[in-house]
Amino acid sequence: MKKHTLFLIALISLFVVSCSTNTFGDSSKLYNNAWELEYITGPRIAFQGLFPDEKPAVTFNKSTNTVNGTTGCNGYNTDFKLNGNKISFADPGITTLRYCGDGEVFFLKGMKGITSYRITDEGKLELLMNDVVMMRFKKSMIKKQ
């Protein structure tokens, strides 16, 4: 009887670990998509007010460990480090210099505070600071580079 109980516990543990690995550890999903921001935490300004014309977007490049995209106004690129579900971003290099309002500032500051990521069951990319979702992205119609 004890062997059956141990086997059942081991089987359940394996199932739980494999399910959590799919949402937290499968980095291949980062690279197969361009991502468009649909939620950002912090600012007291409405999301549409922060990004009235264009939403920030990110595209991860596995071969160079860089991410590039738009802040909703200006283009940017930066390095990132990935270790399991832990992720961090270097200071972004802005490629254009238009004034964009507060949205760009919140987005770039938010990227610097990110400590981990996950892909939800709905296929959304969530960037977290510790356990708090700071940004959520959906798959974008933007052609990935």
Side-chain angles (χ1 to χ4, degrees):
M1 186 66 151
K2 288 183 182 182
K3 287 182 182 180
H4 292 292
T5 304
L6 289 175
F7 177 75
L8 184 58
I9 290 171
L11 187 61
I12 291 171
S13 298
L14 179 64
F15 177 74
V16 170
V17 169
S18 66
C19 288
S20 65
T21 302
N22 288 338
T23 55
F24 287 99
D26 186 4
S27 65
S28 67
K29 293 180 183 180
L30 285 176
Y31 307 112
N32 295 329
N33 301 292
W35 300 95
E36 180 180 294
L37 186 70
E38 67 176 16
Y39 166 81
I40 189 167
T41 190
R44 297 192 183 272
I45 303 168
F47 184 80
Q48 189 61 35
L50 286 172
F51 309 107
D53 300 320
E54 183 180 349
K55 308 301 178 259
V58 297
T59 302
F60 293 87
N61 185 320
K62 185 176 186 175
S63 63
T64 61
N65 283 334
T66 59
V67 63
N68 63 51
T70 175
T71 62
C73 178
N74 290 308
Y76 72 93
N77 60 52
T78 191
D79 297 330
F80 72 95
K81 292 181 183 177
L82 188 65
N83 184 9
N85 73 319
K86 302 297 182 198
I87 192 168
S88 62
F89 299 93
D91 288 324
I94 302 295
T95 58
T96 56
L97 296 173
R98 297 184 316 189
Y99 173 73
C100 307
D102 293 330
E104 180 175 71
V105 173
F106 283 115
F107 178 73
L108 294 174
K109 187 176 180 181
M111 291 289 281
K112 284 297 296 170
I114 299 302
T115 58
S116 61
Y117 81 96
R118 66 181 169 216
I119 308 288
T120 68
D121 291 339
E122 295 81 29
K124 308 279 177 123
L125 168 63
E126 294 182 338
L127 298 180
L128 300 94
M129 181 185 297
N130 302 318
D131 293 329
V132 178
V133 176
M134 302 304 288
M135 298 180 194
R136 184 177 50 246
F137 295 80
K138 64 182 178 180
K139 291 179 184 177
S140 175
M141 300 306 289
I142 299 169
K143 184 178 178 182
K144 70 177 185 159
Q145 299 176 350

